[in-house]
């Protein structure tokens, strides 16, 4: 009885704190999730008296979102597909958000309060055209209003209630570019205005009730037209002539077209190149000359008059109508750190409804767009708020001379990610701080104990959660001994660099790089890659680490390059070089100089290599390795794989000591009529392999073929290049290759008949896993290939392996013909995949897990053992002990395996695995429109206790066990005494 009681106590107390589940109050301890929308393209305010005030936006990330005007938080959000680009957005009937996307092919209505889709209509047309959307308030009809959508050369009238197409009219005949839809007030007709191929002004008059074409007028202008039409009134348009020296006023009342021409040189304040802005101003057009804005009023008789010239204007809003027929528009002037917001009256251009100046962070760049909205103050007067889109893609709301809130939506468009260690904590901590931390520690564990014993009040539970989320250890700006705290350095499409703290995801610093500012020498700068530049170690800890940002001045391969060097701790741009030679490839070299700067070889469009840093010491280091530096290129357009070796300095004509020539070594040409390259993958250069030997259950030893020079390459037949299902299984082949990039030798070629891309692959150690679609089975598949070195097959003795008496330390050359053995297997997989990665740990000891980004924008962790090619239907007992699972045709997906839990990383693009110092743990960062970070232990935390381990409960358990032992000892003694008295 005493033994039973003792065992019962052990089971009760040990099970009370051992758990493998994730409770609600644990969310956010090791992970964080941030939601964004992207750079705003269009915005529509919804500020009715009843309900919450919000603004509905469409963005460059194909997101539709409703934002709270008080705090900038997301009420709801919908992310459309990558190719479903949002063209127009508006609000209909005060309760629907209407969007036109996919080049005018898809019209949708979303419920304004919660963002649920109400209806969807597909609009078919004959030829591509621009997209236009018109949601008038009243057509004079007795029933519901209609929505007019123009796309693919056709005008559609769609019911705003259920999305039914009421009528359709084809307009884009003979190359006519329809640019505006106009609905005069209290009229049953609409005008479709555009310009024909021969620079003719075209006007269609259409009955809105039945789509009948009432009149089609066309008239040519002798000087021709340039650019888009501007529509200041409902019966007149303004456009530039072909020489861009004149403004042409076009009247189209009743379909009758009349032209009036005005020389821009006659306008007051003209000097420079004129651009007609697309802003919709009531009765006016805006002309931008350099950074000055000319406001030109269109009179009733069609003449033009300059009413004002405003300097340093960056953005102009559309006109806003409010009470008593008044209209207003907003101007943004920018000078250094100050933004001046002016709201002018369209009726009386001399008066200002609002004029205020706001200081802001200069790292946000220039203002790109402005949207204004009106509200009623407590004294019944009108006030104005402005929503501003900045150069760095951030979003700001200005009201009453202050920034109410801002959103860093540049983080929705991350291009590349690298990491940096935090500074080492300095010695010396005050006694008061130690006492405070000790008090907080005791308080936290007492609250956890109360919660475990179910004695905690709701306030106590909230306090426990707050202590966990605001843990001082988690958010410190110094590195920890486990390597969990790091800086994530991310480069965004806007050319802005952010440093995020892995503890809580906060922005430590941000920098809009000077090198990526638009200039006369670089019209369209863009970032392409991030690399670690300087990583100081223990003997140079006074130096800050730095990163190299690589970009180009355009999308062409021969565009000039941009190089920027940034301090990873302060975000200070140390130096930048722009413009430089073109950049097609950046090769990090395994060499560092005396200042621990990493050497990089940058390949230009002509195949020359440029060495950085540009110092004599770097050249000396590089010259010693000349002839041993190889690189390769994959030309997808020409179906060419090519290898090179760096041989010598460039020709004397170039006169650059840091320029080197490469010689062609080998090339692999895939016939374009039979194969097309669709995917490649290589091993991470920083990956650590713990052991090259793999011991089987029967004590046989297999040696992994480990090479950083292996390239996985996938090709398909030309007919299989389209979307899934666009080709029959008989005409579709998928080929995979393993190529040594030093010699060009093809080590493996496999074919999958009846299979098609897209292919997503990940390469690690001696294995590669790739995902594709099987047309015959109508399912996705994942295949695994493992490569083993047969040249060391004689080293089978495990004892020699343990004692180190083997030839694993012998150098391996790519030029020695390898004797390899491969094992492969294929499995069905139920999900489409967006990204694939693999966990990475400090020493490579911990078992691997695949990180799969699913079509549902979640991250799944799949044990590599499920993708073991040695799996059989009936594994032996020895194989079971080794961990080999029975063979199944489908890979299992367990809900507990989703590392994102119930969260989604909308628009998921990439998954990055970062090793921590603790061998059991890897850090996972997934980014798309959203960001997600967490810690993952593929083999559980075998080398540490978890952060939320309840020490107080452990102490209570130990005390209870001691008491139980003492009580059972007393019971045992009494029982022995009673036995002796019998």
């Amino acid at each position: 009885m005493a033994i039973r009681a003792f065992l019962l106590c052990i089971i009760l107390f040990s099970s009370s704190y051992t758990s493998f589940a994730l409770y609600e109050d644990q969310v956010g301890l090791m992970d964080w999730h941030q939601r964004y929308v992207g750079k705003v393209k269009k915005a529509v305010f919804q500020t009715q008296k009843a309900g919450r005030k919000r603004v509905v936006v469409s963005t460059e990330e194909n997101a539709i979102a409703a934002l709270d005007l008080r705090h900038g938080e997301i009420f709801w959000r919908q992310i459309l597909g990558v190719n479903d680009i949002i063209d127009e957005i508006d609000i209909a009937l005060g309760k629907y958000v209407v969007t036109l996307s996919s080049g005018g092919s898809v019209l949708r209505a979303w419920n304004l309060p919660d963002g649920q889709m109400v209806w969807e209509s597909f609009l078919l047309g004959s030829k591509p055209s621009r997209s236009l959307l018109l949601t008038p308030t009243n057509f004079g009809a007795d029933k519901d209003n209609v929505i007019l959508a123009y796309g693919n050369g056709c005008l559609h009238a769609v019911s705003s209630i259920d999305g039914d197409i009421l009528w359709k009219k084809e307009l884009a005949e003979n190359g006519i570019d329809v640019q505006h839809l106009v609905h005069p007030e209290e009229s049953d007709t609409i005008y479709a205005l555009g310009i024909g191929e021969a620079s003719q002004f075209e006007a269609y008059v259409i009955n809105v009730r039945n789509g009948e074409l009432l009149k089609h007028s066309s008239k040519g202008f002798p000087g021709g037209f340039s650019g888009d039409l501007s529509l200041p009134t409902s019966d007149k348009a303004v456009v530039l002539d072909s020489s861009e020296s004149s403004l042409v006023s076009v009247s189209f009342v009743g379909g009758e077209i009349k032209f009036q021409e005005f020389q821009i040189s006659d306008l007051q304040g003209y000097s420079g190149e004129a651009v007609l802005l697309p802003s919709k101003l009531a009765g006016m057009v805006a002309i931008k000359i350099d950074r000055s804005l000319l406001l030109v009023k269109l009179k009733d008789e069609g003449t033009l008059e300059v009413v004002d010239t405003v300097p340093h204007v960056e953005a102009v809003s559309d006109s806003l109508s409010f009470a008593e027929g008044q209209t207003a528009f907003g101007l943004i002037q920018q000078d250094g750190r100050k933004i001046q917001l002016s709201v002018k009256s369209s009726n009386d251009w001399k008066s200002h409804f609002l004029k205020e100046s706001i200081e802001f962070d200069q790292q946000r760049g220039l203002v790109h767009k402005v949207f204004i909205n009106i509200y009623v103050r407590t004294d019944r007067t009108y006030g104005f708020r402005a929503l501003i889109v900045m150069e760095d893609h951030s979003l700001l709301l200005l009201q009453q001379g202050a920034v109410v809130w801002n959103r860093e939506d540049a983080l929705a468009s991350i291009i590349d990610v690298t990491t940096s260690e935090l500074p080492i904590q300095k010695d010396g901590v005050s006694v008061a701080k130690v006492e405070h931390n000790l008090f907080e520690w005791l308080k936290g564990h007492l609250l956890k104990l109360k919660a475990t014993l179910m004695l905690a009040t709701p306030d106590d539970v909230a306090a426990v959660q707050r202590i966990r989320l605001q843990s001082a250890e988690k958010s410190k700006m110094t590195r920890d001994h486990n390597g969990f705290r790091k800086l994530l350095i991310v480069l965004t499409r806007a050319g802005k660099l952010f440093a995020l703290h892995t503890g809580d995801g906060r922005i430590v610093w941000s920098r809009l790089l000077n090198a990526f500012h638009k200039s006369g020498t670089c019209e369209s700068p863009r970032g392409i890659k991030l690399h670690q530049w300087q990583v100081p170690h223990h003997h140079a800890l006074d130096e800050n680490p730095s990163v190299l940002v690589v970009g180009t001045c355009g999308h062409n391969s021969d565009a000039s390059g941009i190089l920027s060097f940034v301090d990873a701790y302060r975000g200070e741009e140390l130096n930048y070089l722009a413009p430089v030679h073109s950049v097609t490839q950046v090769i990090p070299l395994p060499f560092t100089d005396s200042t621990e700067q990493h050497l990089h070889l940058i390949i230009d469009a002509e195949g020359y290599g440029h060495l950085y840093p540009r110092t004599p010491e770097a050249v000396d280091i590089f010259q010693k390795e000349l002839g041993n530096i190889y690189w390769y290129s994959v030309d997808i357009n020409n179906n060419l794989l090519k290898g090179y070796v760096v041989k010598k300095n460039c020709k004397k004509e170039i006169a650059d000591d840091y320029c080197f020539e490469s010689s062609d070594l080998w090339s692999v040409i895939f016939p374009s009529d039979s194969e097309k390259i669709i995917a490649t993958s290589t091993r991470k250069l920083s990956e650590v392999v713990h052991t090259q030997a793999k011991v089987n259950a029967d004590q046989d030893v297999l040696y992994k073929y480990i090479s950083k020079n292996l390239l996985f390459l996938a090709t398909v037949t030309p007919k299989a290049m389209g979307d899934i299902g666009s080709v029959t299984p008989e005409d579709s082949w998928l080929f995979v290759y393993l190529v040594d990039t030093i010699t060009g030798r093809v080590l493996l070629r496999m074919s999958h008949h009846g299979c098609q891309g897209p292919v997503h692959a990940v390469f690690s150690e001696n294995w590669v896993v790739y995902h594709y679609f099987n047309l015959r089975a109508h399912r996705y598949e994942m295949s695994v290939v493992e490569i083993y070195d047969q040249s060391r097959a004689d080293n089978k003795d495990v004892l020699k392996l343990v004692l180190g008496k083997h030839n694993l330390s012998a150098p391996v050359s790519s030029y020695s013909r390898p004797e390899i053995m491969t094992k492969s297997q294929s499995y069905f997989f139920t999900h489409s995949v967006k990204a694939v990665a693999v966990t990475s740990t400090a020493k490579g000891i911990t078992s691997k897990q695949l990180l799969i980004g699913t079509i549902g924008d979640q991250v799944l962790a799949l044990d590599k053992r499920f993708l073991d090619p040695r799996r059989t239907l009936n594994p032996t007992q020895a194989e079971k002990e080794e961990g080999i699972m029975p063979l199944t045709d489908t890979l299992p997906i367990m809900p507990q395996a989703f590392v994102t839990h119930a969260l989604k990383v909308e628009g998921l693009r990439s998954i990055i695995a970062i090793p921590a110092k603790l061998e059991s743990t890897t850090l996972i960062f997934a980014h798309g429109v959203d960001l997600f970070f967490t810690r993952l232990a593929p083999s559980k935390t075998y080398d540490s206790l978890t952060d939320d381990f309840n020490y107080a409960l452990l102490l209570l358990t130990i005390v209870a066990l001691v008491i139980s032992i003492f009580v059972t000892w007393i019971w045992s003694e009494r029982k022995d005494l009673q036995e002796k008295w019998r």
Side-chain angles (χ1 to χ4, degrees):
M1 179 179 176
I3 294 173
R4 289 178 181 175
F6 175 69
L7 291 175
L8 181 63
C9 289
I10 291 177
I11 294 172
L12 176 65
F13 286 104
S14 62
S15 62
S16 63
Y17 62 83
T18 302
S19 174
F20 298 102
L22 184 70
Y23 292 99
E24 185 178 359
D25 63 346
Q26 291 178 307
V27 174
L29 294 180
M30 297 185 297
D31 57 71
W32 45 264
H33 180 235
Q34 297 176 359
R35 303 172 70 207
Y36 297 98
V37 295
K39 185 181 180 181
V40 171
K41 296 194 298 186
K42 298 181 184 295
V44 184
F45 290 88
Q46 196 272 335
T47 54
Q48 296 178 353
K49 292 183 180 179
R52 294 179 174 180
K53 307 296 187 290
R54 68 189 78 196
V55 58
V56 182
V57 299
S58 66
T59 71
E60 291 183 354
E61 304 301 323
N62 294 341
I64 311 151
L67 306 179
D68 181 11
L69 279 178
R70 289 183 179 271
H71 309 291
E73 298 172 350
I74 300 174
F75 278 137
W76 58 262
R77 181 187 58 175
Q78 298 287 351
I79 309 291
L80 305 186
V82 176
N83 298 320
D84 196 4
I85 298 173
I86 302 170
D87 303 308
E88 297 289 341
I89 185 171
D90 206 346
I91 294 179
L93 303 180
K95 60 180 180 180
Y96 296 143
V97 177
V98 181
T99 59
L100 185 64
S101 59
S102 294
S105 300
V106 185
L107 186 68
R108 298 182 180 93
W110 314 84
N111 196 29
L112 182 57
D114 58 12
Q116 296 298 314
M117 190 167 70
V118 180
W119 51 258
E120 180 181 43
S121 294
F122 295 94
L123 312 178
L124 302 179
S126 57
K127 59 180 68 176
S129 67
R130 70 175 68 199
S131 302
L132 303 172
L133 180 66
L134 182 63
T135 55
T137 56
N138 183 22
F139 274 122
D142 296 333
K143 297 183 179 180
D144 60 288
N145 289 331
V146 298
I147 297 171
L148 296 174
Y150 176 76
N152 292 318
C154 292
L155 179 64
H156 296 79
V158 182
S159 170
S160 61
I161 301 299
D162 52 16
D164 285 345
I165 299 176
L166 304 178
W167 52 261
K168 171 183 174 181
K169 189 69 178 177
E170 187 170 348
L171 298 179
E173 54 188 18
N174 301 323
I176 296 175
D177 178 21
V178 177
Q179 299 184 13
H180 287 279
L181 298 177
V182 184
H183 171 234
E185 293 184 5
E186 303 298 329
S187 172
D188 284 344
T189 61
I190 57 170
Y191 290 91
L193 309 175
I195 297 175
E197 287 183 341
S199 291
Q200 291 187 330
F201 187 87
E202 306 282 346
Y204 296 89
V205 185
I206 300 171
N207 189 323
V208 74
R209 293 178 180 271
N210 52 26
E212 179 186 358
L213 180 61
L214 303 178
K215 190 174 183 179
H216 175 208
S217 302
S218 177
K219 188 175 181 180
F221 180 71
F225 300 122
S226 172
D228 291 345
L229 297 169
S230 181
L231 202 68
T233 65
S234 61
D235 59 356
K236 294 182 182 66
V238 176
V239 65
L240 285 169
D241 72 343
S242 58
S243 65
E244 299 184 352
S245 61
S246 300
L247 282 175
V248 182
S249 169
V250 186
S251 173
F252 52 86
V253 179
E256 297 294 331
I257 302 174
K258 297 179 181 178
F259 298 122
Q260 293 188 57
E261 184 179 4
F262 304 89
Q263 291 293 323
I264 298 179
S265 57
D266 297 335
L267 299 176
Q268 178 185 357
Y270 167 73
S271 60
E273 184 180 352
V275 178
L276 187 62
L277 298 184
S279 299
K280 300 174 183 177
L281 304 179
M284 291 185 182
V285 293
I287 302 173
K288 194 165 186 180
I289 302 174
D290 295 330
R291 290 188 64 188
S292 297
L293 186 76
L294 268 67
L295 296 175
V296 181
K297 188 175 183 61
L298 181 63
K299 296 184 178 180
D300 294 337
E301 59 273 15
T303 58
L304 300 177
E305 178 188 0
V306 176
V307 294
D308 200 1
T309 302
V310 188
H312 305 295
V313 173
E314 294 297 337
V316 184
S317 75
D318 290 342
S319 289
L320 174 69
S321 299
F322 54 103
E324 300 175 1
Q326 296 190 74
T327 57
F329 64 95
L331 297 173
I332 293 289
Q333 296 170 268
Q334 188 171 353
D335 187 11
R337 295 178 58 88
K338 286 189 177 181
I339 286 180
Q340 183 167 304
L341 171 64
S342 303
V343 179
K344 291 175 171 283
S345 170
S346 300
N347 309 93
D348 182 9
W349 59 270
K350 291 184 178 180
S351 64
H352 286 78
F353 290 116
L354 179 71
K355 193 169 186 179
E356 55 190 22
S357 182
I358 305 104
E359 286 196 3
F360 76 110
D361 183 4
Q362 201 167 1
Q363 290 303 318
R364 299 193 182 278
L366 302 175
V367 176
H368 276 192
K369 292 183 180 179
V370 59
F371 308 91
I372 63 170
N373 178 242
I374 196 167
Y375 65 94
V376 181
R377 300 190 183 102
T378 54
D379 59 357
R380 301 295 180 181
T381 60
Y382 290 110
F384 291 87
R385 58 173 69 97
L387 190 71
I388 294 179
V389 183
M390 303 298 295
E391 182 183 358
D392 70 340
H393 296 189
S394 60
L395 189 65
L396 290 75
L397 183 72
L398 306 184
Q399 187 171 328
Q400 296 181 353
V403 178
V404 180
W405 51 259
N406 66 81
R407 293 180 52 87
E408 294 289 355
D409 280 299
L411 290 169
S413 57
I414 292 176
I415 296 173
D416 198 15
V417 182
T418 188
T419 59
S420 175
E421 294 288 348
L422 286 165
I424 292 177
Q425 186 171 1
K426 302 297 182 182
D427 295 333
V429 183
S430 66
V431 176
K433 186 173 182 180
V434 172
E435 292 176 347
H436 174 74
N437 291 340
L438 180 62
F439 173 76
E440 292 294 329
W441 184 86
L442 290 172
K443 179 183 175 182
H445 282 292
L446 286 174
L447 289 172
K448 289 180 186 178
L449 180 60
K450 288 177 67 177
T452 304
L453 299 176
M454 298 183 182
L455 300 175
T457 64
D459 292 338
D460 291 338
V461 174
V464 170
Q465 182 74 350
R466 187 166 56 254
I467 290 172
R468 284 173 171 174
L469 293 178
Q470 297 178 352
S471 170
E473 291 295 321
K474 176 181 176 180
S475 57
K476 277 184 177 179
M477 278 301 296
T478 55
R479 68 181 72 174
D480 59 316
H481 63 279
N482 288 330
F484 295 160
R485 294 196 298 265
K486 296 179 185 289
L487 286 180
L488 291 170
I489 313 295
V490 301
L491 174 65
T492 66
R493 193 183 302 143
K496 191 169 187 178
L497 211 59
F498 290 86
L500 308 178
H501 196 292
T502 57
D504 51 12
R506 72 182 185 274
I507 297 173
V508 177
W509 55 259
S510 61
R511 175 74 59 178
L512 185 62
L513 301 175
N514 294 325
F516 289 87
H517 279 299
K518 186 182 294 186
S519 63
T521 56
C522 191
E523 285 292 332
S524 53
R526 67 185 186 101
I528 56 175
K529 202 68 179 171
L530 264 179
H531 291 277
Q532 291 186 343
W533 177 251
Q534 187 176 19
V535 185
H537 290 85
H538 293 289
H539 61 277
L541 289 177
D542 292 335
E543 296 284 341
N544 288 353
S546 56
V547 295
L548 167 65
V549 186
V550 183
T552 61
C553 289
H555 294 272
N556 297 329
S557 60
D558 58 350
S560 299
I562 303 170
L563 304 178
S564 177
F565 307 90
V566 182
D567 188 303
Y569 286 170
R570 303 193 305 268
E572 178 184 346
E573 192 169 16
L574 304 174
N575 186 22
Y576 70 88
L577 304 173
V580 294
H581 50 79
S582 58
V583 177
T584 59
Q585 194 171 345
V586 181
I587 304 173
L589 301 174
F591 316 120
T592 57
D593 61 12
S594 59
T595 61
E596 301 203 57
Q597 290 181 345
H598 288 265
L599 271 63
H600 290 73
L601 188 68
I602 299 180
I603 309 299
D604 64 16
E606 297 178 358
Y608 293 114
H610 301 267
L611 181 64
Y612 291 88
R614 299 172 74 84
T615 60
E617 182 187 2
V619 171
D620 292 340
I621 296 171
F622 190 78
Q623 289 281 3
K624 292 176 183 177
E625 300 294 335
L626 207 59
N628 293 325
I629 297 172
Y630 301 83
W631 60 279
Y632 69 93
S633 64
V634 181
D635 188 346
I636 295 178
N637 296 326
N638 296 318
N639 252 17
L640 177 64
L641 182 63
K642 205 167 184 180
Y644 309 86
V645 61
V646 181
K647 281 291 187 182
K648 58 183 179 180
N649 285 87
C650 292
K651 300 174 183 177
K652 294 182 179 180
E653 297 84 37
I654 298 179
D656 186 354
D657 294 336
Y658 307 101
C659 176
F660 295 87
E661 288 185 1
S662 298
S663 301
D664 296 354
L665 275 184
W666 55 266
S667 62
V668 178
I669 302 174
F670 300 92
S672 299
D673 56 347
S674 60
E675 295 182 51
K676 294 284 187 180
I677 299 174
I678 60 170
T680 60
S681 180
T682 59
R683 278 186 58 202
K684 290 176 64 175
L685 296 176
S686 59
E687 184 183 36
V688 177
V689 180
H690 174 62
T691 177
Q692 193 175 354
K694 185 174 184 178
V695 182
N696 292 338
D698 56 0
Q699 303 304 310
D700 188 19
V701 181
L702 294 175
Y703 293 100
K704 303 173 185 177
Y705 185 79
I706 304 295
S707 173
K708 293 184 178 181
N709 303 316
L710 278 186
L711 169 70
F712 168 85
L713 183 140
T715 66
V716 293
T717 51
K719 290 184 178 180
M721 286 290 290
D723 296 332
I724 291 175
S726 62
V727 64
T728 61
E730 290 73 20
D731 295 331
S732 180
W733 288 83
L734 170 67
F735 303 97
V736 296
Y737 297 84
L738 290 177
V739 183
D740 190 305
T741 58
I742 302 297
T743 62
R745 183 180 292 120
V746 176
L747 302 183
L748 174 71
R749 182 182 188 267
M750 289 177 57
S751 63
H752 300 271
H753 188 206
C755 295
Q756 189 180 8
V759 173
H760 297 274
V762 61
F763 206 142
S764 177
E765 294 190 353
N766 68 318
W767 54 264
V768 60
V769 172
Y770 52 100
H771 176 276
Y772 53 93
F773 189 77
N774 188 324
L775 291 168
R776 294 181 182 272
H778 303 287
R779 300 172 72 177
Y780 288 98
E781 280 187 4
M782 293 188 79
S783 293
V784 57
V785 179
E786 292 187 355
I787 316 147
Y788 295 95
D789 190 351
Q790 287 293 92
S791 63
R792 305 182 183 188
D794 56 330
N795 294 324
K796 299 286 187 181
D797 194 336
V798 178
L799 181 60
K800 287 184 178 180
L801 180 67
V802 174
L803 297 176
K805 296 179 179 180
H806 52 75
N807 64 352
L808 291 183
S809 59
V812 178
S813 172
S814 291
Y815 284 102
S816 61
R817 187 171 185 86
E819 300 176 19
I820 63 168
M821 174 187 68
T822 60
K823 296 177 180 289
S824 62
Q825 185 63 272
S826 298
Y827 305 89
F828 289 123
F829 190 69
T830 55
H831 285 289
S832 176
V833 166
K834 288 188 171 183
V836 184
V838 64
T839 55
S840 176
T841 55
K843 303 296 182 183
I845 301 172
T846 305
S847 59
K848 301 283 187 179
Q849 283 188 342
L850 289 172
L851 303 170
I852 302 172
T854 66
I855 193 65
D857 291 320
Q858 291 187 295
V859 179
L860 173 73
L862 184 66
D863 198 316
K864 169 60 174 62
R865 292 181 300 167
F866 288 114
L867 284 152
D868 193 328
R870 296 180 299 152
R871 290 175 64 183
T872 59
L873 288 173
N874 297 304
T876 63
Q877 184 61 34
E879 288 175 334
K880 289 180 180 178
E881 291 175 359
E882 189 186 344
I884 296 178
M885 301 178 180
L887 179 64
T888 57
D889 62 347
T890 305
L891 295 173
I893 296 179
M894 295 168 286
Q896 298 87 345
F898 285 98
V899 298
T900 46
H901 318 306
L903 302 172
K904 285 187 175 183
V905 186
E906 293 284 1
L908 178 64
R909 284 188 290 267
S910 180
I911 305 168
I912 294 98
I914 308 152
K917 289 182 181 178
L918 202 63
E919 171 56 30
S920 65
T921 307
T922 182
L923 310 179
I924 308 299
F925 179 61
H927 66 86
V929 178
D930 294 345
L931 309 182
F932 179 81
F933 177 87
T934 190
R935 301 203 305 257
L936 186 64
S939 301
K940 308 297 182 186
T941 50
Y942 56 84
D943 52 0
S944 67
L945 296 174
T946 58
D947 291 342
D948 59 345
F949 186 82
N950 200 328
Y951 294 94
L953 185 58
L954 176 62
L955 181 62
L956 180 64
T957 303
I958 294 172
V959 172
L961 289 174
V962 171
I963 294 173
S964 300
I965 293 171
F966 183 71
V967 170
T968 53
W969 176 76
I970 294 175
W971 286 352
S972 178
E973 289 294 320
R974 287 183 179 179
K975 185 177 179 181
D976 291 343
L977 185 60
Q978 290 175 359
E979 290 290 337
K980 291 178 180 179
W981 277 103
R982 289 181 182 177

